[in-house]
Amino acid sequence: MLFRSSKFKSKWGFILACVGSAVGMANVWGFPYKLGENGGFAFLIPYLIFIVLFSYVGLTAEYAVGRRAKTGTVGAYEMAWRSGGQEGIGKVVGWIPLAGSMCIAIGYAVIIAYVLKGLTASVTGEIMTVDPGPWFESFAFQDFSVIPFHLIVVVGSLMTLLMGAESIEKTNKVMMPLFFILFLIMAVRVAFLPGAVEGYKFLFTPNWSKLMEPMVWVAAMGQAFFSLSVTGSGMIVYGAYLPDSEDVVDGAKWTAVFDTIAA
């Protein structure tokens, strides 16, 4: 059981934490290329349909189950199966999303270590005088090349987690607004790149025939599922720290809105 005093202090602190969990490679990398491969605007229609469906049903359920169980992923699944007398099965099933989240965390720790190395090179001016491609390959393809940055990521993450939901809330109240400011700066920069106008035309010009292709709907469903972090362990755990007075449906709605804006 979690410490009852360790909770999110505000609705927006909870929402920003959930958005921080949901927004990631699925938005920055997955969404653009899947939209490009599946008809642009035509892809947006089924994508938004599935975002609404999965957030209203999936995210709401995970927040509610986490808050009801007031414990981690394995305990929440165990509780969900207890009514049928099968809590043992629930405990086993609960390890599947937990293991998946661990694998994702390991991958992201390496990615963020690369980001920190890039940030350091930007601050020192090193990256301004080199070809970015070979520069990245010089450490990305070398063993143990970013260990110091990796240690910073791991230790920083552990310290944030050990200090509980309030620490995560305070961190996200700073980091998530900065994240969206960075996205805004990138959007302005992209608007002035060669070919940007054609890209916008592709994005906002409907090709209705694409909606007749089943794989467009499958790709949109998978992207929405992945982007919202449904059936992971993060949303259940965050729900466990949510006060009983908060509206889980409203929280799921705003998580979906900001996640979609990021994409």
Side-chain angles (χ1 to χ4, degrees):
M1 300 292 286
L2 295 172
F3 293 105
R4 299 297 293 144
S5 61
S6 181
K7 291 180 179 294
F8 288 103
K9 302 300 182 183
S10 67
K11 179 182 76 173
W12 284 106
F14 168 74
I15 291 172
L16 288 175
C18 292
V19 173
S21 176
V23 174
M25 293 298 290
N27 306 80
V28 179
W29 166 73
F31 181 83
Y33 95 80
K34 286 185 179 179
L35 182 140
E37 288 184 344
N38 293 281
F41 189 87
F43 177 81
L44 279 178
I45 296 174
Y47 175 73
L48 292 176
I49 290 173
F50 286 120
I51 284 288
V52 172
L53 177 63
F54 292 160
S55 62
Y56 187 75
V57 178
L59 280 184
T60 299
E62 293 201 352
Y63 293 161
V65 168
R67 185 167 65 180
R68 174 67 178 82
K70 294 180 173 64
T71 185
T73 309
V74 175
Y77 274 80
E78 184 180 5
M79 181 213 70
W81 285 73
R82 187 173 296 140
S83 60
Q86 302 292 331
E87 58 265 31
I89 296 178
K91 183 180 293 187
V92 173
V93 173
W95 277 102
I96 297 175
L98 185 60
S101 295
M102 284 296 297
C103 292
I104 292 171
I106 292 170
Y108 269 120
V110 176
I111 292 170
I112 298 173
Y114 288 167
V115 172
L116 286 180
K117 185 173 178 64
L119 175 62
T120 302
S122 297
V123 172
T124 61
E126 174 191 355
I127 202 171
M128 306 303 178
T129 60
V130 297
D131 186 344
W135 173 82
F136 178 76
E137 293 174 358
S138 69
F139 62 85
F141 296 151
Q142 296 293 324
D143 295 337
F144 311 113
S145 62
V146 291
I147 291 296
F149 297 102
H150 192 236
L151 287 174
I152 292 172
V153 173
V154 172
V155 172
S157 298
L158 286 175
M159 290 179 61
T160 302
L161 293 172
L162 288 172
M163 288 187 287
E166 188 174 355
S167 171
I168 296 173
E169 180 175 1
K170 289 179 179 178
T171 301
N172 277 293
K173 281 184 176 179
V174 175
M175 297 300 293
M176 291 311 298
L178 289 176
F179 185 71
F180 279 93
I181 290 173
L182 176 61
F183 268 10
L184 181 61
I185 294 171
M186 291 176 63
V188 173
R189 176 69 183 95
V190 166
F192 290 95
L193 291 177
V197 173
E198 294 303 314
Y200 293 132
K201 287 180 180 178
F202 175 76
L203 174 60
F204 295 112
T205 303
N207 181 1
W208 302 116
S209 63
K210 281 287 185 179
L211 296 178
M212 303 304 294
E213 299 180 15
M215 291 310 299
V216 172
W217 289 80
V218 171
M221 180 178 65
Q223 176 62 23
F225 202 83
F226 181 32
S227 184
L228 290 174
S229 295
V230 179
T231 72
S233 59
M235 299 309 189
I236 290 178
V237 172
Y238 279 159
Y241 288 92
L242 185 65
D244 294 339
S245 59
E246 293 295 341
D247 186 342
V248 293
V249 177
D250 189 61
K253 176 189 72 176
W254 285 110
T255 301
V257 167
F258 285 111
D259 179 74
T260 304
I261 290 172

